[in-house]
Amino acid sequence: MMRAPPFWDDTAPRSSAALTRALLSPLGALYAWAGARRIRTTTPAPAPAPVICVGNLTVGGVGKTPITAALMRAAHQKGLKAAGLSRGWGGKLAGPVKVDPKLHSVADVGDEPLLLSRLAPVYVARHRPDGARMAAEEGADVIIMDDGHQNPSLEKTLSIVVVDGVTGWGPGTVFPAGPLREPVKDGLARADAVIVMCPSAEFAPDLEKLQLADLEIPVLTAWLAPEAAPPSGPLLAFAGIGRPQKFYDALVAAGGSLADTASFPDHHAFTRGEIETLADLAESHDATLITTEKDHVRLPGGVKGSVTAWPVRAVFREEARLDALLDQAMDSFAASR
């Protein structure tokens, strides 16, 4: 995965960034046209069980996987058997296959499916309908699809769009001119709810700037909260996620003391040599080497023990509204049958 180029940042110097975006805008228009045509001309396969899609409108991480995990937990609390469904980005298996952490590696199924499989059965399938059928055949009451808002192959019972409350839609331009996978208006028109991911419980997102103030669908607010305090003493933090700085900021906000940081591209496949180099750097600072849970599952087996994984989970301002979305999906699917 590439790093986000500087001109995707709407706070970048206007002259050079705007010129680059303008030069790339014809390609962005072509990308948007191709995606819209695919959605318009594809007939989705019928869903064999309620399908809740957790997607986004931008390239890169916004917090979809923690939201997927939160829905899995909510389903479990209601006595429902949830299953995850993923394309398995970065994995070599086309599927459909049920993820087995004892058998499969990140190279097989990708990092998110391995992480989510700790909570519920997860199925990887590049052709999503095949994975959904397998999940339903094995008893899933509800299927939570991690990513896929722009994938029209499978009927969605409920579509949730997740957006970063700080970076929003960037400069509002479509890839490669910007981070958008499709125009915001088009993507929101197919959404049943929006979840704004905030850096903290105190943060108030600008709904006007995010084009969410006048939506007639639910807009929820959530943030990532640590499940444990960071280790005491100096920390050397590293991450290969969409926005590594969010991880570093969260560590500091939770009381962590950062001695140094190291950032890698999203979904980076860490090598033993890289981790050994980071371990040497941590030792020079007398620091603990720490990373995200998502990054930790991508570490080579022999070095995982030398790195602390810092677990976080999505917390909602109004938890009942997440339960209501789950109920809405279950009721809507039942009414359609």
Side-chain angles (χ1 to χ4, degrees), residues 89-304:
W89 180 265
K92 64 186 178 183
L93 297 182
V97 61
K98 182 179 180 180
V99 176
D100 183 346
K102 297 180 180 178
L103 177 65
H104 297 128
S105 67
V106 169
D108 295 322
V109 297
D111 50 10
E112 285 126 344
L114 270 181
L115 186 59
L116 291 170
S117 68
R118 300 173 182 177
L119 300 175
V122 175
Y123 299 82
V124 163
R126 292 182 189 169
H127 185 56
R128 309 295 174 84
D130 292 342
R133 280 192 292 271
M134 179 179 285
E137 288 169 359
E138 297 191 2
D141 297 315
V142 59
I143 297 168
I144 316 295
M145 185 160 69
D146 188 6
D147 207 1
H149 189 65
Q150 291 76 28
N151 186 312
S153 64
L154 176 64
E155 178 186 51
K156 303 175 181 73
T157 312
L158 191 79
S159 291
I160 299 173
V161 166
V162 185
V163 57
D164 188 293
V166 176
T167 59
W169 317 116
T173 44
V174 177
F175 181 88
L180 286 174
R181 299 181 179 188
E182 61 178 318
V184 174
K185 183 179 179 181
D186 294 351
L188 292 180
R190 302 194 313 279
D192 299 295
V194 176
I195 297 176
V196 183
M197 292 300 292
C198 299
S200 67
E202 297 75 27
F203 182 84
D206 186 342
L207 298 185
E208 287 284 353
K209 182 179 179 181
L210 293 172
Q211 305 175 42
L212 303 176
D214 298 323
L215 283 188
E216 297 181 356
I217 58 176
V219 177
L220 287 67
T221 303
W223 56 92
L224 298 181
E227 295 188 29
S232 59
L235 301 174
L236 195 151
F238 70 96
I241 56 177
R243 289 185 60 210
Q245 190 62 45
K246 290 175 65 175
F247 170 55
Y248 310 146
D249 291 344
L251 279 170
V252 173
S257 176
L258 293 189
D260 206 346
T261 63
S263 300
F264 297 82
D266 196 12
H267 295 282
H268 180 70
F270 294 100
T271 66
R272 182 182 300 273
E274 287 172 335
I275 302 306
E276 290 174 348
T277 298
L278 288 172
D280 290 341
L281 182 59
E283 185 176 357
S284 71
H285 289 290
D286 194 24
T288 298
L289 199 55
I290 190 168
T291 192
T292 70
E293 283 190 303
K294 187 175 173 181
D295 287 297
H296 198 266
V297 300
R298 294 199 306 276
L299 300 183
V303 296
K304 285 187 177 182

Side-chain angles (χ1 to χ4, degrees), residues 309-329:
W310 194 50
V312 295
R313 70 165 59 194
V315 177
F316 288 79
R317 187 154 285 151
E318 296 179 11
E319 198 76 33
R321 299 188 72 189
L322 184 70
D323 288 338
L325 287 179
L326 184 54
D327 290 339
Q328 178 184 336

